[in-house]
Amino acid sequence: MDALAAYSWFGQLSVVVSVVAVCWTMVWQNLEHIRLQQFFARNFNRRARRLAAIVDPFLSVTFEEYEGGRIKSSDAFKEVRSYLTTASTRGVRHLRAESGGERDGGGGGDRLLLSMAKGEEVPDSFRGATVWWSADAAPPPRDAVPWSRASRAERRFYRLEFHESHRDLVLEEYIPHVRKQGRAIMVQNRQRRLYTNISREGYDDGWYEDVWTHVPFDHPKTFDKLAMDPEKKKEIIADLDMFRNGKEYHDRVGKPWKRGYLLYGPPGTGKSTMVAAMANYLKYDVYDFELTSVKTNTELRKLLIETKSKSIMVFEDIDCSLDLTGKRKTKEDEDKEDDDDKDADPRRGGKKDAKSKVTLSGLLNFIDGLWSACGEERLIVFTTNHVDKLDPALIRTGRMDKKIEMSYCDFESFRFLARMHLDEDVEGHELFGAARALLQEVNMVPVDVGEHLTRKSVDDDAGTCLARLVKALEKAKEEAAKPEAAQAAEEDEAKGIVAKDGN
Ligand SMILES: Nc1ncnc2c1ncn2[C@@H]1O[C@H](COP(=O)(O)OP(=O)(O)OP(=O)(O)O)[C@@H](O)[C@H]1O
Ligand SMILES: [Mg+2]
């Protein structure tokens, strides 16, 4: 390299170094500037926050009806609204009334859903902390979908305000408590349903997606109107309470949250009525399984999957629904049954008129197989007139946890029915004692006792009804005293069958 070239190279290097130096200085100065800005901003914000906390130490949480522009109202909003229904109806002067749609957990029909009107505020207290709820609404968004009513409606919201010293209590305990209470109120108020699986016209073609059809469940029977031994009734109610509040226990011991009840006894002793009373007490839906309409075990499983929590699954007259006296199946039987499932499934080219092929093991698996754990908080109730006909595997503990015998009318049930039907203190009536004495000798089911005690005309009084009952009991006593042969002859005569010798 000659001297000139070396000079030129050195010159270029110095230019590059100077440019880098200038750039670095600029960047550094700006960095300093940004740092300073951040420093000031942080300190100012902190001070501003501190100042704001002194001036206004309250925090707030907002529950919007439509979260993030969705058109389905949010669960949290509905839960808060339900929770506030109780608080607001007491403390608020201006309420908003809506007809309770099923989707909102209101239930439709005549029910009204009351909530705080816009601009109202109500205090609430929780573990010594006071919080305030207010209701408000924002105008609909500019980009509202014109044909969607929900989208065009104003955006309602609830605001919860509390002192910042209660921040942890409110966020971690109070809000979960409000949501849980709100959900419970929604369950209490919802219109309950009675479901049936009886197939509708066209179902066999496999086109209907819904395997259940339903009607509103409005059965008037409650435990207050069910005649039975008071101690037994108390025990059943306590058992239902334990079950309803048993989520933690079932989780702890690793048991699916379900319970089996077997109700057995002669016809007319109140088994179906007991199911209605249970459903009304627990506020559960009822799924009435008509097993004779279920073609296969697979279909039974599908029905199970489609049931919701907080429900009673009832199998009435289980002994008549299926041949459940048979043995459980071998492997070969199960293979054959799978083929039968295919045969009976019209969607898979099976015959339409296939008879029910639900088997005992299908039912056993339904009750406590792997699939039975899907969903939670469900009662399974079997009713039967012939408990002795049922396979012991079906009613063993774990499948049927509680077995309740519904029996003939005893004195307590009679007294209960007499008071309920005659609506007065009938125990002093002379015929009351006579009926009581006869009931110790004769078996009569509650449905018959109730029927005799029912007033048939406006002129009927307690005496007339009791006399009718006493007469029926005396007749039943006479019948019971007759030898069996005479009874059979009488029955034949009634049917028009006359013995060959003419006697
Ligand atoms: N223990 C009872 N208390 C009050 N009412 C009863 C009682 N038992 C029966 N009844 C009345 O009798 C009618 C029939 O009762 P229910 O249908 O519950 O009998 P069941 O035991 O289910 O009979 P089945 O075995 O024939 O199905 C109902 O209208 C019910 O009101
Ligand atoms: Mg019944």
Side-chain angles (χ1 to χ4, degrees):
M1 190 185 297
D2 60 7
L4 191 66
Y7 180 76
S8 159
W9 183 85
F10 190 76
Q12 283 172 8
L13 183 70
S14 62
V15 170
V16 170
V17 168
S18 339
V19 169
V20 168
V22 169
C23 289
W24 173 247
T25 315
M26 280 168 67
V27 167
W28 178 248
Q29 278 174 353
N30 276 309
L31 268 179
E32 276 299 289
H33 181 65
I34 291 164
R35 276 187 196 167
L36 276 175
Q37 258 189 357
Q38 283 178 344
F39 176 79
F40 278 118
R42 232 184 355 249
N43 281 287
F44 179 75
N45 275 350
R46 199 180 294 146
R47 288 200 162 74
R49 276 203 305 274
R50 276 188 199 154
L51 195 68
I54 294 166
V55 178
D56 178 13
F58 288 90
L59 308 179
S60 74
V61 179
T62 304
F63 295 83
E64 293 180 16
E65 185 171 14
Y66 299 103
E67 289 165 354
R70 283 191 221 137
I71 55 168
K72 185 176 174 291
S73 52
S74 97
D75 287 344
F77 177 87
K78 285 191 279 187
E79 287 156 2
V80 168
R81 183 178 58 186
S82 294
Y83 175 81
L84 291 176
T85 308
T86 43
S88 63
T89 40
R90 272 183 268 114
V92 168
R93 288 171 62 81
H94 302 288
L95 294 165
R96 180 190 167 107
E98 292 165 85
S99 47
E102 285 193 18
R103 276 177 50 208
D104 288 347
D110 297 336
R111 290 167 205 239
L112 274 184
L113 206 61
L114 294 174
S115 55
M116 286 197 286
K118 191 168 138 183
E120 286 291 326
E121 189 178 84
V122 68
D124 192 18
S125 51
F126 182 72
R127 301 212 189 133
T130 302
V131 298
W132 290 266
W133 286 99
S134 56
D136 212 335
R142 291 212 180 135
D143 56 351
V145 185
W147 56 85
S148 161
R149 212 152 51 99
S151 165
R152 280 183 287 113
E154 55 178 14
R155 311 317 249 178
R156 288 188 289 166
F157 60 86
Y158 291 111
R159 179 167 289 135
L160 168 66
E161 284 172 276
F162 49 93
H163 195 276
E164 67 174 357
S165 60
H166 300 134
R167 183 192 181 100
D168 290 346
L169 178 74
V170 170
L171 297 186
E172 279 157 34
E173 294 181 49
Y174 177 67
I175 292 179
H177 159 81
V178 166
R179 294 194 65 181
K180 191 169 163 213
Q181 292 284 107
R183 267 198 301 275
I185 294 166
M186 277 158 72
V187 168
Q188 294 274 322
N189 291 339
R190 79 190 157 144
Q191 168 67 65
R192 283 170 307 116
R193 292 170 170 180
L194 172 62
Y195 292 87
T196 176
N197 65 300
I198 294 181
S199 54
R200 291 171 294 176
E201 196 69 14
Y203 173 71
D204 284 348
D205 295 333
W207 288 106
Y208 287 118
E209 275 303 306
D210 290 345
V211 289
W212 293 104
T213 46
H214 63 86
V215 290
F217 180 76
D218 281 324
H219 202 293
K221 235 4 170 204
T222 55
F223 277 112
D224 305 348
K225 296 168 195 156
L226 185 71
M228 68 184 295
D229 176 17
E231 284 304 312
K232 215 159 139 185
K233 198 191 284 188
K234 248 194 235 162
E235 193 187 308
I236 294 167
I237 293 174
D239 193 82
L240 292 174
D241 283 335
M242 279 290 283
F243 173 76
R244 179 169 41 189
N245 302 320
K247 179 164 174 51
E248 203 194 314
Y249 164 76
H250 285 85
D251 285 349
R252 186 152 42 86
V253 297
K255 256 171 74 168
W257 191 7
K258 64 184 178 60
R259 191 159 175 79
Y261 275 73
L262 173 70
L263 308 179
Y264 64 96
T269 47
K271 298 179 292 298
S272 306
T273 310
M274 166 76 85
V275 175
M278 283 173 158
N280 282 332
Y281 183 72
L282 294 170
K283 310 254 186 231
Y284 284 3
D285 289 332
V286 177
Y287 287 89
D288 186 7
F289 280 76
E290 182 50 63
L291 272 186
T292 49
S293 297
V294 184
K295 300 272 185 324
T296 62
N297 290 339
T298 316
E299 207 175 300
L300 182 62
R301 203 176 300 146
K302 182 158 187 206
L303 286 169
L304 170 69
I305 296 166
E306 295 288 322
T307 57
K308 298 201 181 98
S309 299
K310 293 190 187 297
S311 60
I312 303 186
M313 300 191 276
V314 194
F315 296 79
E316 289 261 39
D317 300 317
I318 187 74
D319 54 305
C320 310
S321 306
L322 290 176
D323 179 15
L324 297 173
T325 51
K327 295 276 165 288
R328 294 166 81 169
K329 296 171 301 166
T330 59
K331 179 80 185 76
E332 293 85 68
D333 293 338
E334 280 186 1
D335 292 346
K336 182 168 177 308
E337 183 203 305
D338 279 348
D339 293 343
D340 290 347
D341 275 8
K342 284 176 207 149
D343 289 349
D345 188 346
R347 276 155 282 191
R348 295 156 82 180
K351 290 176 248 109
K352 265 191 171 185
D353 59 349
K355 292 268 180 314
S356 173
K357 289 195 171 67
V358 175
T359 58
L360 176 60
S361 52
L363 197 58
L364 297 182
N365 283 332
F366 174 96
I367 302 167
D368 73 350
L370 285 175
W371 289 91
S372 68
C374 68
E376 53 177 24
E377 208 177 341
R378 288 187 298 189
L379 291 182
I380 303 175
V381 181
F382 283 0
T383 74
T384 181
N385 298 139
H386 305 283
V387 67
D388 45 310
K389 280 196 190 170
L390 300 180
D391 190 293
L394 191 62
I395 55 173
R396 71 141 166 79
T397 308
R399 290 207 174 96
M400 290 295 108
D401 305 281
K402 194 151 182 69
K403 299 168 187 102
I404 302 165
E405 181 177 10
M406 304 295 289
S407 194
Y408 295 104
C409 204
D410 59 8
F411 169 60
E412 283 298 341
S413 302
F414 162 58
R415 186 162 67 161
F416 184 94
L417 288 170
R419 281 184 182 169
M420 186 168 74
H421 284 279
L422 303 174
D423 198 24
E424 54 196 86
D425 186 15
V426 291
E427 286 180 50
H429 201 287
E430 54 181 312
L431 288 174
F432 183 88
R436 175 187 179 169
L438 280 162
L439 274 169
Q440 282 168 349
E441 299 175 54
V442 188
N443 281 339
M444 188 173 272
V445 287
V447 65
D448 289 338
V449 174
E451 183 58 25
H452 293 305
L453 291 176
T454 304
R455 293 173 207 264
K456 303 283 190 271
S457 75
V458 280
D459 299 328
D460 276 3
D461 58 13
T464 326
C465 297
L466 282 170
R468 194 163 45 226
L469 174 64
V470 167
K471 200 169 155 204
L473 285 167
E474 278 168 349
K475 191 160 173 240
K477 188 178 163 188
E478 269 173 39
E479 296 287 324
K482 279 187 195 162
E484 272 181 28
Q487 272 187 45
E490 250 178 44
E491 276 168 25
D492 286 350
E493 200 181 313
K495 288 181 202 155
I497 306 166
V498 182
K500 269 189 185 163
D501 59 5
N503 295 326

